[in-house]
Amino acid sequence: MQSPPFDSAATQQAPEALRFEYVPRPGLFKITLINLVLNILTLSIYRFWGKTNVRKHIWSCIHINGEPLEYTGTAMELFKGFLFVFGLFIMPLVIINALLKLNYGNQSPIVFATNSLFGLFVYVMYGYAIYKARKYQLTRTLWRGIRGNLVGSAMTYSITYFGALLAKGASLGWATPVMNTVLHEQITNDMRFGDAAFKFKGRAGPLYPTYALCWFLVGVLSIFFIAWGVSLVAGNFEGLFEKTPSQKETLGILYGLAIIVLVVVVYFLLSPVVWSIYIAKEMRTFANYTRFDGAQFKLNATAGSIIWLTIGNVLILVFTLTFGWPFVQQRTFRYMAQRLELEGAIDIDRIQQSQAAIPTRGEGLADAFDVSAW
Amino acid sequence: MIETLATYFDGQSARNRTVHLRDDGDALSFSGPETPKTIWNIRGLHPIDAPTKGQPYRLTHDAKPGARLIITDEAFIQNLISHSNHLRGGYSMRDIANIFGWTVGGLGVCAALTYLAMWILPDRVAHVLPQSWREKTGTEMETTLSGGAKRCQTPAGEHALGTIVAALAEGTPSLPAVSIHVYDMPLVNAFAVSGGKIIVTRGLLDKAETAEEFTGVLAHEMGHVWHFHPEAQIVRLGGMEVLSSIFTGTNGGNATTNVAMLATVLRSSRAAEAEADQFANEALINAKIDPKGLRSFFEKIMKMEKDQGSNGAMLGEIGSIFSTHPGTEDRIKNIQLLPSGVVAKPVLTDQEWQALKKMCG
């Protein structure tokens, strides 16, 4: 074979615009099936290998300017993370709890207080788990040989996260746009690709009209359904005293069922649908607030597409008894890859590998708390 | 020798470099305008993904783990993997050994911990627990088991109980110190709880026809006290809860592990019953009290089991300490009677026995 000549122009690259693409590859179904079988055979210890294989697959389907992402994490790193958290937190907690129960009895206030403290610990460390998991995944994500990172403090993020939880609760949700902006700003400003930084700048103000709309819409819907439920009961209340006990019992069951159906309809169907409007707005806004090396992100997220994505994901999980989660992850990443744009050119060639430290094990706490990095 | 153009990322910069790539059979060599001549031996090469038709093939090397070589020339890829099998990707023997090793190792550790927590530790721990803990726990258990029922106390009844204990202690001087409390409860049962407390129900007093039958049951419960069975059982339950939380990653375990653990407890209590039976039998013989009483009481229990067995009431209304244990027949067979020539002593006078039976009115 003759050796082809060099195209000298190819090595002289000007700043270029970045295009995101999801290029599907076969193989995810096979990975899912193997996960299912081996998870059962190994009593779920295989999950670390399964997760790693799924990520390798999905990452490699996301192309930026024709070059795929690469997931370089290994199952052993996840397994070590699990063992670390298990040995350092879970096992001691369980043993302490059992000893206290043994000594003071199940109903003792000391046992209750200790359990509450453990619960508080989980909430305080929630943000830590998210931050560390995302840091692990970023440092295991390679594009053109360069890896990402999070260079800030996980504990600072965790404290902010906990504060945000309290503020959201105390304000009946109204602190959500502000707190989400603060959290997003913190973690995005810590994000690196090689030695290039992501920048997040923007106010929560523009999110409020949409937030208010959704908040009142959910409120009005709830009031409407409660009123409707009450009128239904009241309408049948006449003559209730003339009914036999068994008739009363049947009516009671019917009303009980009606109330359950109402709660399900409002909280699991209507409320998520309404809130999708806000979520889409927030995702678009945060993308607009984010810059990378002078270029600005843009995300084409709409309420309709998010509802569709969520319904599909829920159906997959329900009908596969959660074993279909790799496809849920695929759909979610594909959604982002297909709708994310970066406006402006970037001098990619200038980006150098960062010397910042990278973790040697990953996601132990996230695995224990069952939280996702994204 | 086969050659092509490839893309190279050196792992230091995001700049993509075009290189001239050559397959020398035992090594890949490449160089380009910005890339000095590099030689990667085949053995140190790793595929990032298994080669897929129509997709660029990506390689890295032990010598430079951050670097990536990307090949799109299909013929070059086919030739390369045809002489280097390990570049086909997929699970390596090492991956399989890892998964298998950790699984078997993990199960081994679980089994060892279970064995330790179920069979070794409870007995050891039970013997070294402080007396204050035993008594406190015993009082709690007594409150739970008696469930608010009235405690029966008459001077004559207490005296009769004291006489039985004294008779047994005469034969077995090392008899553990016990306190016996009678409760006005209809079920036929007796429990030994931690701290040397024995709880007896009115149902049991009603069911027992002779003082010897009742003494047999008491001696059996004293066997539990002697062997620290209630304490060991508490430790075992605590250990089970820890293990079940650890194995399942939940607080309190799931149905499968709980059933498995319950089975273990029942098994361990069968062994405990045999020990208590043996203790009772020896104590009765030493005190010259007729073990036939214990035997006839077992026979009554067996009859009750048969009556209720058809409703699957093994753990039902009888709720008897005896009923959780199979082989009542075996237990009857195992009871040794007094050696020939030894004359049985009556434990209580008829008057004392009647006073005891009427304790709850």
Side-chain angles (χ1 to χ4, degrees), chain B residues 69-109:
Chain B
L69 191 61
I70 293 133
I71 312 167
T72 45
D73 185 332
E74 209 69 51
F76 188 95
I77 299 168
Q78 285 312 317
N79 180 60
L80 179 63
I81 58 175
S82 71
H83 67 75
S84 335
N85 235 336
H86 75 286
L87 297 182
R88 289 179 194 277
Y91 275 118
S92 69
M93 280 314 284
R94 216 180 122 194
D95 293 326
I96 294 167
N98 255 337
I99 298 170
F100 186 75
W102 282 105
T103 306
V104 171
L107 290 178
V109 169

mmCIF file of all heavy atoms in Angstrom, chain B residues 69-109:
data_model
loop_
_atom_site.group_PDB
_atom_site.id
_atom_site.type_symbol
_atom_site.label_atom_id
_atom_site.label_comp_id
_atom_site.label_asym_id
_atom_site.label_seq_id
_atom_site.Cartn_x
_atom_site.Cartn_y
_atom_site.Cartn_z
ATOM 1 N N LEU B 69 -4.749 7.198 19.756
ATOM 2 C CA LEU B 69 -4.465 7.062 18.333
ATOM 3 C C LEU B 69 -5.764 6.633 17.673
ATOM 4 O O LEU B 69 -6.370 5.648 18.092
ATOM 5 C CB LEU B 69 -3.376 5.989 18.153
ATOM 6 C CG LEU B 69 -2.738 5.837 16.792
ATOM 7 C CD1 LEU B 69 -2.034 7.120 16.368
ATOM 8 C CD2 LEU B 69 -1.727 4.696 16.832
ATOM 9 N N ILE B 70 -6.206 7.398 16.663
ATOM 10 C CA ILE B 70 -7.514 7.105 16.075
ATOM 11 C C ILE B 70 -7.349 6.722 14.602
ATOM 12 O O ILE B 70 -6.823 7.494 13.803
ATOM 13 C CB ILE B 70 -8.461 8.302 16.249
ATOM 14 C CG1 ILE B 70 -8.746 8.452 17.754
ATOM 15 C CG2 ILE B 70 -9.779 8.108 15.507
ATOM 16 C CD1 ILE B 70 -8.626 9.841 18.232
ATOM 17 N N ILE B 71 -7.810 5.532 14.305
ATOM 18 C CA ILE B 71 -7.616 4.983 12.968
ATOM 19 C C ILE B 71 -8.975 4.821 12.300
ATOM 20 O O ILE B 71 -9.903 4.278 12.904
ATOM 21 C CB ILE B 71 -6.912 3.602 13.041
ATOM 22 C CG1 ILE B 71 -5.699 3.686 13.971
ATOM 23 C CG2 ILE B 71 -6.515 3.122 11.664
ATOM 24 C CD1 ILE B 71 -5.141 2.332 14.356
ATOM 25 N N THR B 72 -9.083 5.266 11.042
ATOM 26 C CA THR B 72 -10.359 5.104 10.335
ATOM 27 C C THR B 72 -10.230 4.133 9.164
ATOM 28 O O THR B 72 -11.240 3.678 8.635
ATOM 29 C CB THR B 72 -10.841 6.457 9.784
ATOM 30 O OG1 THR B 72 -9.747 7.116 9.166
ATOM 31 C CG2 THR B 72 -11.405 7.326 10.890
ATOM 32 N N ASP B 73 -9.005 3.788 8.805
ATOM 33 C CA ASP B 73 -8.763 2.923 7.640
ATOM 34 C C ASP B 73 -9.180 1.483 7.967
ATOM 35 O O ASP B 73 -8.505 0.787 8.745
ATOM 36 C CB ASP B 73 -7.270 3.008 7.289
ATOM 37 C CG ASP B 73 -6.938 2.239 6.021
ATOM 38 O OD1 ASP B 73 -7.648 1.257 5.719
ATOM 39 O OD2 ASP B 73 -5.966 2.634 5.352
ATOM 40 N N GLU B 74 -10.313 1.054 7.380
ATOM 41 C CA GLU B 74 -10.903 -0.251 7.696
ATOM 42 C C GLU B 74 -9.923 -1.406 7.457
ATOM 43 O O GLU B 74 -9.800 -2.310 8.289
ATOM 44 C CB GLU B 74 -12.165 -0.437 6.845
ATOM 45 C CG GLU B 74 -13.223 -1.317 7.472
ATOM 46 C CD GLU B 74 -13.896 -0.681 8.695
ATOM 47 O OE1 GLU B 74 -14.373 0.483 8.624
ATOM 48 O OE2 GLU B 74 -13.906 -1.351 9.727
ATOM 49 N N ALA B 75 -9.210 -1.356 6.328
ATOM 50 C CA ALA B 75 -8.290 -2.440 5.978
ATOM 51 C C ALA B 75 -7.159 -2.511 7.000
ATOM 52 O O ALA B 75 -6.754 -3.601 7.431
ATOM 53 C CB ALA B 75 -7.719 -2.210 4.578
ATOM 54 N N PHE B 76 -6.682 -1.350 7.422
ATOM 55 C CA PHE B 76 -5.599 -1.294 8.395
ATOM 56 C C PHE B 76 -6.057 -1.913 9.716
ATOM 57 O O PHE B 76 -5.355 -2.711 10.336
ATOM 58 C CB PHE B 76 -5.183 0.167 8.605
ATOM 59 C CG PHE B 76 -3.946 0.329 9.449
ATOM 60 C CD1 PHE B 76 -2.696 0.456 8.858
ATOM 61 C CD2 PHE B 76 -4.042 0.340 10.835
ATOM 62 C CE1 PHE B 76 -1.560 0.599 9.650
ATOM 63 C CE2 PHE B 76 -2.910 0.472 11.622
ATOM 64 C CZ PHE B 76 -1.659 0.603 11.036
ATOM 65 N N ILE B 77 -7.289 -1.550 10.141
ATOM 66 C CA ILE B 77 -7.836 -2.069 11.405
ATOM 67 C C ILE B 77 -7.953 -3.588 11.345
ATOM 68 O O ILE B 77 -7.518 -4.307 12.247
ATOM 69 C CB ILE B 77 -9.221 -1.438 11.700
ATOM 70 C CG1 ILE B 77 -9.107 0.087 11.835
ATOM 71 C CG2 ILE B 77 -9.824 -2.018 12.964
ATOM 72 C CD1 ILE B 77 -10.435 0.821 11.843
ATOM 73 N N GLN B 78 -8.549 -4.074 10.234
ATOM 74 C CA GLN B 78 -8.750 -5.518 10.095
ATOM 75 C C GLN B 78 -7.423 -6.256 10.166
ATOM 76 O O GLN B 78 -7.293 -7.287 10.827
ATOM 77 C CB GLN B 78 -9.471 -5.833 8.767
ATOM 78 C CG GLN B 78 -10.948 -5.507 8.772
ATOM 79 C CD GLN B 78 -11.665 -6.055 10.004
ATOM 80 O OE1 GLN B 78 -11.428 -7.182 10.417
ATOM 81 N NE2 GLN B 78 -12.524 -5.225 10.614
ATOM 82 N N ASN B 79 -6.424 -5.716 9.489
ATOM 83 C CA ASN B 79 -5.111 -6.353 9.475
ATOM 84 C C ASN B 79 -4.509 -6.361 10.881
ATOM 85 O O ASN B 79 -3.958 -7.366 11.325
ATOM 86 C CB ASN B 79 -4.200 -5.609 8.490
ATOM 87 C CG ASN B 79 -2.820 -6.243 8.453
ATOM 88 O OD1 ASN B 79 -2.690 -7.414 8.124
ATOM 89 N ND2 ASN B 79 -1.808 -5.469 8.820
ATOM 90 N N LEU B 80 -4.656 -5.231 11.573
ATOM 91 C CA LEU B 80 -4.076 -5.105 12.916
ATOM 92 C C LEU B 80 -4.690 -6.125 13.881
ATOM 93 O O LEU B 80 -3.967 -6.858 14.566
ATOM 94 C CB LEU B 80 -4.292 -3.677 13.437
ATOM 95 C CG LEU B 80 -3.775 -3.371 14.838
ATOM 96 C CD1 LEU B 80 -2.259 -3.529 14.908
ATOM 97 C CD2 LEU B 80 -4.161 -1.957 15.258
ATOM 98 N N ILE B 81 -6.031 -6.192 13.901
ATOM 99 C CA ILE B 81 -6.646 -7.109 14.877
ATOM 100 C C ILE B 81 -6.491 -8.568 14.456
ATOM 101 O O ILE B 81 -6.569 -9.450 15.291
ATOM 102 C CB ILE B 81 -8.129 -6.780 15.161
ATOM 103 C CG1 ILE B 81 -8.953 -6.826 13.886
ATOM 104 C CG2 ILE B 81 -8.272 -5.427 15.838
ATOM 105 C CD1 ILE B 81 -10.428 -6.624 14.138
ATOM 106 N N SER B 82 -6.241 -8.797 13.154
ATOM 107 C CA SER B 82 -6.091 -10.186 12.724
ATOM 108 C C SER B 82 -4.820 -10.790 13.315
ATOM 109 O O SER B 82 -4.767 -11.989 13.550
ATOM 110 C CB SER B 82 -6.075 -10.275 11.199
ATOM 111 O OG SER B 82 -4.854 -9.745 10.722
ATOM 112 N N HIS B 83 -3.808 -9.997 13.566
ATOM 113 C CA HIS B 83 -2.606 -10.592 14.170
ATOM 114 C C HIS B 83 -2.444 -10.234 15.656
ATOM 115 O O HIS B 83 -1.459 -10.602 16.283
ATOM 116 C CB HIS B 83 -1.344 -10.254 13.352
ATOM 117 C CG HIS B 83 -0.947 -8.800 13.351
ATOM 118 N ND1 HIS B 83 -0.364 -8.193 14.426
ATOM 119 C CD2 HIS B 83 -1.045 -7.844 12.393
ATOM 120 C CE1 HIS B 83 -0.115 -6.927 14.133
ATOM 121 N NE2 HIS B 83 -0.529 -6.686 12.899
ATOM 122 N N SER B 84 -3.414 -9.505 16.242
ATOM 123 C CA SER B 84 -3.313 -9.189 17.671
ATOM 124 C C SER B 84 -4.691 -9.357 18.309
ATOM 125 O O SER B 84 -5.492 -8.433 18.330
ATOM 126 C CB SER B 84 -2.849 -7.746 17.881
ATOM 127 O OG SER B 84 -2.126 -7.300 16.775
ATOM 128 N N ASN B 85 -4.910 -10.542 18.804
ATOM 129 C CA ASN B 85 -6.236 -10.905 19.304
ATOM 130 C C ASN B 85 -6.726 -10.006 20.435
ATOM 131 O O ASN B 85 -7.922 -9.735 20.550
ATOM 132 C CB ASN B 85 -6.202 -12.353 19.799
ATOM 133 C CG ASN B 85 -7.281 -13.156 19.107
ATOM 134 O OD1 ASN B 85 -8.279 -12.588 18.649
ATOM 135 N ND2 ASN B 85 -7.074 -14.455 19.014
ATOM 136 N N HIS B 86 -5.815 -9.534 21.283
ATOM 137 C CA HIS B 86 -6.248 -8.789 22.467
ATOM 138 C C HIS B 86 -6.807 -7.416 22.093
ATOM 139 O O HIS B 86 -7.349 -6.724 22.952
ATOM 140 C CB HIS B 86 -5.108 -8.649 23.474
ATOM 141 C CG HIS B 86 -4.062 -7.643 23.108
ATOM 142 N ND1 HIS B 86 -3.132 -7.876 22.115
ATOM 143 C CD2 HIS B 86 -3.794 -6.406 23.592
ATOM 144 C CE1 HIS B 86 -2.336 -6.810 22.017
ATOM 145 N NE2 HIS B 86 -2.720 -5.901 22.905
ATOM 146 N N LEU B 87 -6.690 -7.027 20.842
ATOM 147 C CA LEU B 87 -7.211 -5.724 20.440
ATOM 148 C C LEU B 87 -8.676 -5.790 20.022
ATOM 149 O O LEU B 87 -9.264 -4.801 19.623
ATOM 150 C CB LEU B 87 -6.365 -5.134 19.309
ATOM 151 C CG LEU B 87 -4.908 -4.851 19.695
ATOM 152 C CD1 LEU B 87 -4.144 -4.219 18.552
ATOM 153 C CD2 LEU B 87 -4.842 -3.928 20.911
ATOM 154 N N ARG B 88 -9.275 -6.980 20.139
ATOM 155 C CA ARG B 88 -10.683 -7.124 19.758
ATOM 156 C C ARG B 88 -11.621 -6.563 20.822
ATOM 157 O O ARG B 88 -12.805 -6.418 20.598
ATOM 158 C CB ARG B 88 -11.024 -8.596 19.525
ATOM 159 C CG ARG B 88 -10.401 -9.150 18.272
ATOM 160 C CD ARG B 88 -10.736 -10.622 18.090
ATOM 161 N NE ARG B 88 -9.874 -11.201 17.080
ATOM 162 C CZ ARG B 88 -10.111 -11.115 15.773
ATOM 163 N NH1 ARG B 88 -11.194 -10.490 15.347
ATOM 164 N NH2 ARG B 88 -9.281 -11.648 14.908
ATOM 165 N N GLY B 89 -11.102 -6.294 21.995
ATOM 166 C CA GLY B 89 -11.934 -5.686 23.054
ATOM 167 C C GLY B 89 -12.761 -6.712 23.791
ATOM 168 O O GLY B 89 -12.518 -7.908 23.688
ATOM 169 N N GLY B 90 -13.757 -6.255 24.538
ATOM 170 C CA GLY B 90 -14.597 -7.138 25.336
ATOM 171 C C GLY B 90 -13.934 -7.453 26.668
ATOM 172 O O GLY B 90 -12.920 -6.865 27.024
ATOM 173 N N TYR B 91 -14.545 -8.397 27.400
ATOM 174 C CA TYR B 91 -14.022 -8.742 28.717
ATOM 175 C C TYR B 91 -12.721 -9.515 28.609
ATOM 176 O O TYR B 91 -12.617 -10.445 27.835
ATOM 177 C CB TYR B 91 -15.040 -9.600 29.476
ATOM 178 C CG TYR B 91 -16.081 -8.787 30.191
ATOM 179 C CD1 TYR B 91 -17.427 -8.901 29.872
ATOM 180 C CD2 TYR B 91 -15.705 -7.917 31.192
ATOM 181 C CE1 TYR B 91 -18.374 -8.153 30.527
ATOM 182 C CE2 TYR B 91 -16.650 -7.161 31.857
ATOM 183 C CZ TYR B 91 -17.986 -7.285 31.514
ATOM 184 O OH TYR B 91 -18.917 -6.549 32.179
ATOM 185 N N SER B 92 -11.740 -9.143 29.417
ATOM 186 C CA SER B 92 -10.515 -9.921 29.467
ATOM 187 C C SER B 92 -10.655 -10.947 30.584
ATOM 188 O O SER B 92 -11.562 -10.866 31.409
ATOM 189 C CB SER B 92 -9.325 -9.012 29.754
ATOM 190 O OG SER B 92 -9.396 -8.535 31.077
ATOM 191 N N MET B 93 -9.757 -11.907 30.600
ATOM 192 C CA MET B 93 -9.778 -12.916 31.659
ATOM 193 C C MET B 93 -9.650 -12.229 33.022
ATOM 194 O O MET B 93 -10.228 -12.667 34.008
ATOM 195 C CB MET B 93 -8.615 -13.901 31.478
ATOM 196 C CG MET B 93 -8.868 -14.975 30.436
ATOM 197 S SD MET B 93 -10.493 -15.748 30.571
ATOM 198 C CE MET B 93 -10.221 -16.827 31.983
ATOM 199 N N ARG B 94 -8.897 -11.135 33.061
ATOM 200 C CA ARG B 94 -8.682 -10.432 34.319
ATOM 201 C C ARG B 94 -9.991 -9.826 34.840
ATOM 202 O O ARG B 94 -10.287 -9.908 36.033
ATOM 203 C CB ARG B 94 -7.639 -9.343 34.120
ATOM 204 C CG ARG B 94 -6.760 -9.179 35.344
ATOM 205 C CD ARG B 94 -5.749 -8.098 35.133
ATOM 206 N NE ARG B 94 -5.927 -7.085 36.179
ATOM 207 C CZ ARG B 94 -5.396 -5.884 36.141
ATOM 208 N NH1 ARG B 94 -4.688 -5.512 35.092
ATOM 209 N NH2 ARG B 94 -5.586 -5.035 37.117
ATOM 210 N N ASP B 95 -10.777 -9.242 33.907
ATOM 211 C CA ASP B 95 -12.073 -8.681 34.311
ATOM 212 C C ASP B 95 -12.947 -9.767 34.919
ATOM 213 O O ASP B 95 -13.576 -9.579 35.962
ATOM 214 C CB ASP B 95 -12.813 -8.098 33.091
ATOM 215 C CG ASP B 95 -12.093 -6.885 32.534
ATOM 216 O OD1 ASP B 95 -11.497 -6.143 33.335
ATOM 217 O OD2 ASP B 95 -12.125 -6.697 31.304
ATOM 218 N N ILE B 96 -12.991 -10.904 34.223
ATOM 219 C CA ILE B 96 -13.859 -11.997 34.677
ATOM 220 C C ILE B 96 -13.389 -12.492 36.039
ATOM 221 O O ILE B 96 -14.188 -12.707 36.953
ATOM 222 C CB ILE B 96 -13.874 -13.137 33.626
ATOM 223 C CG1 ILE B 96 -14.539 -12.615 32.343
ATOM 224 C CG2 ILE B 96 -14.587 -14.365 34.156
ATOM 225 C CD1 ILE B 96 -14.361 -13.491 31.150
ATOM 226 N N ALA B 97 -12.049 -12.640 36.175
ATOM 227 C CA ALA B 97 -11.506 -13.101 37.457
ATOM 228 C C ALA B 97 -11.853 -12.111 38.565
ATOM 229 O O ALA B 97 -12.197 -12.515 39.682
ATOM 230 C CB ALA B 97 -9.998 -13.272 37.354
ATOM 231 N N ASN B 98 -11.810 -10.827 38.260
ATOM 232 C CA ASN B 98 -12.147 -9.793 39.237
ATOM 233 C C ASN B 98 -13.573 -9.934 39.733
ATOM 234 O O ASN B 98 -13.836 -9.978 40.934
ATOM 235 C CB ASN B 98 -12.008 -8.407 38.592
ATOM 236 C CG ASN B 98 -10.750 -7.704 39.080
ATOM 237 O OD1 ASN B 98 -10.247 -8.022 40.149
ATOM 238 N ND2 ASN B 98 -10.262 -6.781 38.303
ATOM 239 N N ILE B 99 -14.516 -9.980 38.785
ATOM 240 C CA ILE B 99 -15.932 -10.052 39.148
ATOM 241 C C ILE B 99 -16.192 -11.320 39.946
ATOM 242 O O ILE B 99 -16.799 -11.305 41.013
ATOM 243 C CB ILE B 99 -16.825 -10.029 37.886
ATOM 244 C CG1 ILE B 99 -16.627 -8.718 37.136
ATOM 245 C CG2 ILE B 99 -18.279 -10.234 38.245
ATOM 246 C CD1 ILE B 99 -17.262 -8.704 35.768
ATOM 247 N N PHE B 100 -15.667 -12.431 39.422
ATOM 248 C CA PHE B 100 -15.895 -13.721 40.057
ATOM 249 C C PHE B 100 -15.273 -13.735 41.455
ATOM 250 O O PHE B 100 -15.900 -14.121 42.429
ATOM 251 C CB PHE B 100 -15.291 -14.815 39.177
ATOM 252 C CG PHE B 100 -15.589 -16.196 39.668
ATOM 253 C CD1 PHE B 100 -16.854 -16.738 39.498
ATOM 254 C CD2 PHE B 100 -14.618 -16.953 40.296
ATOM 255 C CE1 PHE B 100 -17.137 -18.004 39.953
ATOM 256 C CE2 PHE B 100 -14.894 -18.220 40.760
ATOM 257 C CZ PHE B 100 -16.147 -18.748 40.588
ATOM 258 N N GLY B 101 -14.037 -13.253 41.529
ATOM 259 C CA GLY B 101 -13.312 -13.251 42.801
ATOM 260 C C GLY B 101 -14.028 -12.434 43.857
ATOM 261 O O GLY B 101 -14.218 -12.895 44.980
ATOM 262 N N TRP B 102 -14.462 -11.229 43.491
ATOM 263 C CA TRP B 102 -15.121 -10.360 44.466
ATOM 264 C C TRP B 102 -16.465 -10.933 44.894
ATOM 265 O O TRP B 102 -16.873 -10.799 46.040
ATOM 266 C CB TRP B 102 -15.300 -8.945 43.918
ATOM 267 C CG TRP B 102 -14.027 -8.175 43.979
ATOM 268 C CD1 TRP B 102 -13.200 -7.869 42.932
ATOM 269 C CD2 TRP B 102 -13.400 -7.644 45.149
ATOM 270 N NE1 TRP B 102 -12.107 -7.185 43.376
ATOM 271 C CE2 TRP B 102 -12.205 -7.017 44.739
ATOM 272 C CE3 TRP B 102 -13.731 -7.636 46.497
ATOM 273 C CZ2 TRP B 102 -11.345 -6.394 45.631
ATOM 274 C CZ3 TRP B 102 -12.876 -7.014 47.385
ATOM 275 C CH2 TRP B 102 -11.696 -6.397 46.950
ATOM 276 N N THR B 103 -17.167 -11.578 43.938
ATOM 277 C CA THR B 103 -18.460 -12.159 44.276
ATOM 278 C C THR B 103 -18.289 -13.312 45.261
ATOM 279 O O THR B 103 -18.922 -13.347 46.316
ATOM 280 C CB THR B 103 -19.176 -12.637 43.010
ATOM 281 O OG1 THR B 103 -19.240 -11.549 42.106
ATOM 282 C CG2 THR B 103 -20.548 -13.153 43.323
ATOM 283 N N VAL B 104 -17.394 -14.242 44.904
ATOM 284 C CA VAL B 104 -17.188 -15.402 45.775
ATOM 285 C C VAL B 104 -16.627 -14.941 47.117
ATOM 286 O O VAL B 104 -17.089 -15.369 48.182
ATOM 287 C CB VAL B 104 -16.245 -16.417 45.090
ATOM 288 C CG1 VAL B 104 -15.840 -17.510 46.064
ATOM 289 C CG2 VAL B 104 -16.923 -17.011 43.872
ATOM 290 N N GLY B 105 -15.671 -14.029 47.060
ATOM 291 C CA GLY B 105 -15.086 -13.502 48.293
ATOM 292 C C GLY B 105 -16.140 -12.834 49.159
ATOM 293 O O GLY B 105 -16.211 -13.065 50.363
ATOM 294 N N GLY B 106 -16.988 -12.026 48.511
ATOM 295 C CA GLY B 106 -18.047 -11.311 49.240
ATOM 296 C C GLY B 106 -19.001 -12.281 49.900
ATOM 297 O O GLY B 106 -19.348 -12.133 51.076
ATOM 298 N N LEU B 107 -19.411 -13.306 49.152
ATOM 299 C CA LEU B 107 -20.330 -14.291 49.722
ATOM 300 C C LEU B 107 -19.663 -15.030 50.872
ATOM 301 O O LEU B 107 -20.295 -15.321 51.889
ATOM 302 C CB LEU B 107 -20.775 -15.286 48.636
ATOM 303 C CG LEU B 107 -21.693 -14.711 47.561
ATOM 304 C CD1 LEU B 107 -22.032 -15.768 46.520
ATOM 305 C CD2 LEU B 107 -22.975 -14.184 48.197
ATOM 306 N N GLY B 108 -18.364 -15.312 50.716
ATOM 307 C CA GLY B 108 -17.616 -15.991 51.770
ATOM 308 C C GLY B 108 -17.603 -15.158 53.039
ATOM 309 O O GLY B 108 -17.857 -15.668 54.138
ATOM 310 N N VAL B 109 -17.338 -13.864 52.883
ATOM 311 C CA VAL B 109 -17.306 -12.963 54.043
ATOM 312 C C VAL B 109 -18.687 -12.927 54.711
ATOM 313 O O VAL B 109 -18.805 -13.010 55.935
ATOM 314 C CB VAL B 109 -16.858 -11.545 53.621
ATOM 315 C CG1 VAL B 109 -17.082 -10.556 54.741
ATOM 316 C CG2 VAL B 109 -15.384 -11.566 53.223
#
